Amino acid sequence: MRVFVTGATGFVGGAVVRELLDSGHQVLGLARSDESADRLAKAGAEVHRGSLEDLDALRAGASASDGVIHTGFIHDFSNYAASVATDLSATKTLFGALSGSDRPFVLSSVMSHGRTEDDVPDPAERPDLPRLPAEVTALAASARGVRVSVIRLPQVHGEGDHAFVPAVIDIARAKGVSAYVGDGSTRWAAVHRDDAAVLYRLALENAPAGTVLHAVDDEGVPGREIAEVIGRRLDLPVTSVPVEEAETHFGWLGHYVASDLVGTSTLTRERFGWTPTRIGLLADLDQDYYFEVNQPS
Protein backbone atom coordinates (compact mmCIF):
# COMPACT_ATOMS: atom_id res chain seq x y z
CA MET A 1 0.00 0.00 0.00
CA ARG A 2 1.23 3.51 -0.82
CA VAL A 3 0.57 5.60 2.28
CA PHE A 4 0.63 9.38 2.58
CA VAL A 5 1.92 10.34 6.05
CA THR A 6 1.75 13.82 7.52
CA GLY A 7 4.14 14.63 10.33
CA ALA A 8 6.38 12.03 8.73
CA THR A 9 9.57 13.22 10.42
CA GLY A 10 7.98 13.94 13.80
CA PHE A 11 8.39 11.93 16.98
CA VAL A 12 5.37 9.71 16.34
CA GLY A 13 5.26 10.05 12.55
CA GLY A 14 8.89 9.05 12.16
CA ALA A 15 8.22 5.80 14.01
CA VAL A 16 5.11 5.21 11.88
CA VAL A 17 7.12 5.68 8.68
CA ARG A 18 9.70 3.18 9.87
CA GLU A 19 7.02 0.64 10.85
CA LEU A 20 5.27 0.97 7.47
CA LEU A 21 8.46 0.59 5.47
CA ASP A 22 9.60 -2.38 7.55
CA SER A 23 6.21 -4.01 6.90
CA GLY A 24 6.47 -3.68 3.12
CA HIS A 25 4.39 -0.56 2.53
CA GLN A 26 5.48 2.42 0.46
CA VAL A 27 5.48 5.83 2.13
CA LEU A 28 4.85 9.26 0.67
CA GLY A 29 5.92 11.62 3.44
CA LEU A 30 4.96 15.26 3.81
CA ALA A 31 8.05 17.44 4.18
CA ARG A 32 8.04 21.16 4.89
CA SER A 33 11.83 21.72 4.90
CA ASP A 34 14.89 20.50 3.05
CA GLU A 35 16.08 18.86 6.27
CA SER A 36 12.84 16.89 6.61
CA ALA A 37 12.98 15.91 2.94
CA ASP A 38 16.54 14.60 3.37
CA ARG A 39 15.55 12.58 6.43
CA LEU A 40 12.63 11.00 4.62
CA ALA A 41 14.70 10.13 1.57
CA LYS A 42 17.39 8.53 3.73
CA ALA A 43 14.71 6.48 5.50
CA GLY A 44 13.54 5.11 2.15
CA ALA A 45 10.35 7.15 1.79
CA GLU A 46 9.17 9.23 -1.15
CA VAL A 47 9.09 12.97 -0.45
CA HIS A 48 6.02 15.17 -0.95
CA ARG A 49 6.79 18.84 -0.32
CA GLY A 50 4.23 20.92 1.54
CA SER A 51 2.84 21.77 4.97
CA LEU A 52 -0.33 21.42 7.01
CA GLU A 53 -1.36 24.90 5.92
CA ASP A 54 -0.89 24.03 2.22
CA LEU A 55 -4.24 22.44 1.49
CA ASP A 56 -3.47 21.88 -2.19
CA ALA A 57 -0.37 19.87 -1.23
CA LEU A 58 -2.38 17.81 1.26
CA ARG A 59 -5.09 17.14 -1.31
CA ALA A 60 -2.53 16.07 -3.91
CA GLY A 61 -0.70 13.77 -1.50
CA ALA A 62 -3.89 12.06 -0.37
CA SER A 63 -5.20 11.70 -3.91
CA ALA A 64 -1.97 10.03 -5.02
CA SER A 65 -2.04 7.42 -2.25
CA ASP A 66 -3.86 4.25 -1.24
CA GLY A 67 -4.39 5.56 2.27
CA VAL A 68 -3.51 8.40 4.65
CA ILE A 69 -2.10 8.53 8.17
CA HIS A 70 -2.37 11.98 9.73
CA THR A 71 0.14 12.45 12.58
CA GLY A 72 1.11 16.05 11.84
CA PHE A 73 0.23 18.83 14.27
CA ILE A 74 1.71 22.27 14.88
CA HIS A 75 2.76 22.16 18.54
CA ASP A 76 2.60 25.88 19.19
CA PHE A 77 1.05 26.10 22.64
CA SER A 78 1.42 29.89 22.64
CA ASN A 79 -1.22 29.94 19.89
CA TYR A 80 -2.97 26.65 20.44
CA ALA A 81 -6.30 27.76 18.98
CA ALA A 82 -4.63 28.45 15.63
CA SER A 83 -2.91 25.06 15.71
CA VAL A 84 -6.24 23.35 16.37
CA ALA A 85 -7.91 25.27 13.53
CA THR A 86 -5.12 24.28 11.14
CA ASP A 87 -5.48 20.64 12.15
CA LEU A 88 -9.24 20.67 11.59
CA SER A 89 -8.83 22.25 8.16
CA ALA A 90 -6.12 19.73 7.23
CA THR A 91 -8.29 16.84 8.44
CA LYS A 92 -11.25 17.94 6.32
CA THR A 93 -9.01 18.35 3.28
CA LEU A 94 -7.42 14.92 3.64
CA PHE A 95 -10.61 12.91 4.04
CA GLY A 96 -12.25 15.04 1.38
CA ALA A 97 -9.65 13.84 -1.10
CA LEU A 98 -10.48 10.24 -0.19
CA SER A 99 -14.27 10.63 -0.30
CA GLY A 100 -16.08 7.77 -2.01
CA SER A 101 -12.97 5.65 -2.44
CA ASP A 102 -13.19 3.39 0.66
CA ARG A 103 -9.51 4.11 1.24
CA PRO A 104 -8.24 4.20 4.85
CA PHE A 105 -7.70 7.43 6.74
CA VAL A 106 -6.09 7.18 10.19
CA LEU A 107 -6.39 10.28 12.35
CA SER A 108 -4.36 11.08 15.47
CA SER A 109 -6.33 12.25 18.48
CA VAL A 110 -5.71 12.54 22.22
CA MET A 111 -6.48 10.46 25.29
CA SER A 112 -8.63 13.09 27.00
CA HIS A 113 -11.45 12.38 24.55
CA GLY A 114 -12.52 9.17 26.29
CA ARG A 115 -11.30 6.62 28.81
CA THR A 116 -12.54 3.72 26.68
CA GLU A 117 -12.71 3.34 22.92
CA ASP A 118 -16.49 3.55 22.94
CA ASP A 119 -16.53 6.97 24.63
CA VAL A 120 -17.09 9.71 22.02
CA PRO A 121 -17.99 12.96 23.78
CA ASP A 122 -20.27 15.57 22.22
CA PRO A 123 -18.18 18.62 21.20
CA ALA A 124 -21.08 20.91 22.18
CA GLU A 125 -20.95 19.54 25.72
CA ARG A 126 -17.15 19.49 25.96
CA PRO A 127 -15.82 22.83 24.70
CA ASP A 128 -12.77 22.22 26.93
CA LEU A 129 -11.59 19.59 24.41
CA PRO A 130 -10.51 21.74 21.45
CA ARG A 131 -9.25 18.85 19.31
CA LEU A 132 -12.46 16.85 19.69
CA PRO A 133 -14.20 18.44 16.64
CA ALA A 134 -11.52 17.02 14.30
CA GLU A 135 -12.09 13.52 15.72
CA VAL A 136 -15.87 13.72 15.47
CA THR A 137 -15.74 15.28 12.01
CA ALA A 138 -13.42 12.56 10.75
CA LEU A 139 -15.56 9.74 12.17
CA ALA A 140 -18.58 11.21 10.42
CA ALA A 141 -16.69 10.97 7.13
CA SER A 142 -17.15 7.21 7.29
CA ALA A 143 -20.58 7.83 5.79
CA ARG A 144 -18.88 9.44 2.79
CA GLY A 145 -17.03 6.32 1.73
CA VAL A 146 -13.81 6.75 3.70
CA ARG A 147 -12.51 4.00 6.00
CA VAL A 148 -11.83 6.37 8.88
CA SER A 149 -10.23 5.27 12.14
CA VAL A 150 -9.05 7.38 15.04
CA ILE A 151 -6.07 6.62 17.28
CA ARG A 152 -6.17 8.35 20.63
CA LEU A 153 -2.68 8.90 21.97
CA PRO A 154 -1.70 9.18 25.63
CA GLN A 155 1.73 10.44 26.71
CA VAL A 156 4.05 9.02 24.03
CA HIS A 157 7.59 8.35 25.18
CA GLY A 158 10.88 7.03 23.84
CA GLU A 159 14.27 8.23 22.67
CA GLY A 160 13.93 11.52 20.82
CA ASP A 161 10.93 12.64 22.90
CA HIS A 162 10.71 16.43 23.01
CA ALA A 163 7.21 16.88 24.42
CA PHE A 164 5.69 16.86 27.91
CA VAL A 165 8.16 14.65 29.82
CA PRO A 166 11.27 16.60 28.70
CA ALA A 167 9.42 19.82 29.53
CA VAL A 168 8.72 18.56 33.06
CA ILE A 169 12.41 17.64 33.41
CA ASP A 170 13.47 21.12 32.25
CA ILE A 171 11.12 22.71 34.78
CA ALA A 172 12.63 20.58 37.56
CA ARG A 173 16.11 21.74 36.57
CA ALA A 174 15.03 25.37 36.49
CA LYS A 175 13.10 25.27 39.77
CA GLY A 176 15.57 23.11 41.69
CA VAL A 177 12.84 20.66 42.75
CA SER A 178 11.00 17.79 41.09
CA ALA A 179 7.35 18.49 41.78
CA TYR A 180 4.02 16.71 41.57
CA VAL A 181 0.55 18.21 42.06
CA GLY A 182 -1.43 17.70 45.23
CA ASP A 183 -0.98 14.23 46.67
CA GLY A 184 0.58 13.00 43.42
CA SER A 185 -2.30 10.68 42.56
CA THR A 186 -3.11 12.29 39.19
CA ARG A 187 -2.05 9.92 36.44
CA TRP A 188 -0.90 9.84 32.83
CA ALA A 189 -1.66 6.99 30.48
CA ALA A 190 1.38 6.29 28.32
CA VAL A 191 2.79 4.29 25.40
CA HIS A 192 6.17 3.83 23.76
CA ARG A 193 6.27 5.40 20.32
CA ASP A 194 7.29 2.13 18.64
CA ASP A 195 4.25 0.35 20.09
CA ALA A 196 2.05 3.23 18.93
CA ALA A 197 3.51 2.93 15.43
CA VAL A 198 2.47 -0.72 15.23
CA LEU A 199 -1.10 0.25 16.10
CA TYR A 200 -1.16 2.87 13.35
CA ARG A 201 -0.21 0.17 10.86
CA LEU A 202 -2.85 -2.22 12.18
CA ALA A 203 -5.48 0.50 11.91
CA LEU A 204 -4.44 1.30 8.35
CA GLU A 205 -4.60 -2.35 7.33
CA ASN A 206 -7.58 -3.62 9.29
CA ALA A 207 -9.70 -1.06 11.15
CA PRO A 208 -13.33 -0.88 9.98
CA ALA A 209 -14.78 2.54 9.19
CA GLY A 210 -15.71 4.50 12.30
CA THR A 211 -13.31 2.70 14.65
CA VAL A 212 -11.66 4.37 17.65
CA LEU A 213 -8.46 2.78 18.95
CA HIS A 214 -6.51 3.50 22.12
CA ALA A 215 -2.72 3.33 21.99
CA VAL A 216 -2.40 2.73 25.73
CA ASP A 217 0.20 0.56 27.46
CA ASP A 218 0.44 2.11 30.94
CA GLU A 219 -3.16 2.90 31.91
CA GLY A 220 -2.17 5.51 34.48
CA VAL A 221 1.27 6.37 35.87
CA PRO A 222 0.98 8.48 39.06
CA GLY A 223 2.52 11.94 38.91
CA ARG A 224 4.36 11.36 42.16
CA GLU A 225 6.19 8.35 40.71
CA ILE A 226 7.19 10.38 37.64
CA ALA A 227 8.50 13.15 39.91
CA GLU A 228 10.42 10.64 42.02
CA VAL A 229 12.32 9.26 39.02
CA ILE A 230 13.15 12.78 37.82
CA GLY A 231 14.25 13.83 41.31
CA ARG A 232 16.50 10.81 41.69
CA ARG A 233 18.09 11.27 38.26
CA LEU A 234 18.69 14.99 38.79
CA ASP A 235 19.55 14.65 42.50
CA LEU A 236 16.79 17.08 43.41
CA PRO A 237 14.28 17.07 46.26
CA VAL A 238 10.79 15.82 45.41
CA THR A 239 7.96 18.01 46.61
CA SER A 240 4.23 18.63 46.28
CA VAL A 241 2.75 21.73 44.64
CA PRO A 242 -0.82 22.68 45.64
CA VAL A 243 -3.38 22.28 42.86
CA GLU A 244 -4.07 26.02 42.80
CA GLU A 245 -0.35 26.68 42.19
CA ALA A 246 0.13 24.13 39.40
CA GLU A 247 0.14 26.69 36.58
CA THR A 248 2.43 29.01 38.54
CA HIS A 249 4.99 26.22 38.96
CA PHE A 250 4.61 24.35 35.66
CA GLY A 251 3.52 27.20 33.37
CA TRP A 252 1.55 26.04 30.30
CA LEU A 253 2.00 22.44 31.47
CA GLY A 254 0.17 23.07 34.73
CA HIS A 255 -3.23 22.00 33.40
CA TYR A 256 -1.86 18.72 32.02
CA VAL A 257 0.22 17.86 35.07
CA ALA A 258 -2.81 18.46 37.30
CA SER A 259 -5.18 16.41 35.11
CA ASP A 260 -5.98 12.72 35.54
CA LEU A 261 -5.42 11.57 31.94
CA VAL A 262 -6.02 7.83 32.14
CA GLY A 263 -7.39 5.35 29.64
CA THR A 264 -7.62 1.70 28.68
CA SER A 265 -6.89 -0.23 25.52
CA THR A 266 -8.77 -3.41 26.38
CA LEU A 267 -11.06 -3.25 23.35
CA THR A 268 -8.20 -2.28 21.01
CA ARG A 269 -6.17 -5.30 22.10
CA GLU A 270 -9.14 -7.63 21.75
CA ARG A 271 -10.17 -6.33 18.35
CA PHE A 272 -6.77 -5.97 16.69
CA GLY A 273 -4.40 -8.26 18.56
CA TRP A 274 -2.21 -5.31 19.52
CA THR A 275 0.25 -6.20 22.27
CA PRO A 276 2.76 -3.54 23.40
CA THR A 277 6.26 -4.96 23.83
CA ARG A 278 8.39 -1.91 24.67
CA ILE A 279 9.30 -0.63 28.13
CA GLY A 280 6.82 1.44 30.11
CA LEU A 281 7.04 5.14 30.93
CA LEU A 282 8.82 4.88 34.29
CA ALA A 283 11.46 2.49 32.95
CA ASP A 284 11.94 4.66 29.88
CA LEU A 285 12.18 7.79 32.00
CA ASP A 286 15.12 6.17 33.81
CA GLN A 287 17.15 6.08 30.57
CA ASP A 288 20.07 8.47 30.09
CA TYR A 289 18.68 10.05 26.92
CA TYR A 290 15.95 11.80 28.87
CA PHE A 291 18.57 13.62 30.95
CA GLU A 292 21.17 14.53 28.36
CA VAL A 293 21.64 18.28 28.10
CA ASN A 294 22.35 19.58 24.61
CA GLN A 295 25.42 21.75 24.68
CA PRO A 296 25.60 24.78 22.36
CA SER A 297 27.71 24.17 19.26
Side-chain angles (χ1 to χ4, degrees), residues 2-6 8 26-30 45-48 60-62 64-65:
R2 188 173 191 243
V3 187
F4 181 45
V5 180
T6 70
Q26 297 174 299
V27 172
L28 178 66
L30 184 67
E46 184 181 349
V47 175
H48 183 74
S65 302

Side-chain angles (χ1 to χ4, degrees), residues 111-148:
M111 200 72 254
S112 58
H113 294 181
R115 295 196 173 192
T116 76
E117 295 87 337
D118 290 342
D119 295 332
V120 182
D122 182 347
E125 297 177 358
R126 295 298 307 273
D128 58 317
L129 301 177
R131 294 188 67 185
L132 181 58
E135 175 180 317
V136 173
T137 300
L139 289 172
S142 298
R144 296 171 52 185
V146 183
R147 184 161 61 83
V148 175

Side-chain angles (χ1 to χ4, degrees), residues 81-158:
S83 297
V84 168
T86 297
D87 182 57
L88 180 57
S89 179
T91 298
K92 291 179 177 178
T93 299
L94 289 166
F95 72 63
L98 302 178
S99 182
S101 68
D102 292 321
R103 285 177 285 173
F105 173 61
V106 185
L107 175 74
S108 302
S109 188
V110 292
M111 200 72 254
S112 58
H113 294 181
R115 295 196 173 192
T116 76
E117 295 87 337
D118 290 342
D119 295 332
V120 182
D122 182 347
E125 297 177 358
R126 295 298 307 273
D128 58 317
L129 301 177
R131 294 188 67 185
L132 181 58
E135 175 180 317
V136 173
T137 300
L139 289 172
S142 298
R144 296 171 52 185
V146 183
R147 184 161 61 83
V148 175
S149 59
V150 171
I151 293 184
R152 292 180 181 150
L153 294 171
Q155 170 61 43
V156 184
H157 59 87

Side-chain angles (χ1 to χ4, degrees), residues 3 21 49 51 85 122 137 154 172 175 199 205 209 222-223 227 253 269 276:
V3 187
L21 292 172
R49 295 303 295 259
S51 67
D122 182 347
T137 300
K175 300 284 187 177
L199 188 57
E205 295 172 344
L253 262 175
R269 297 179 193 227

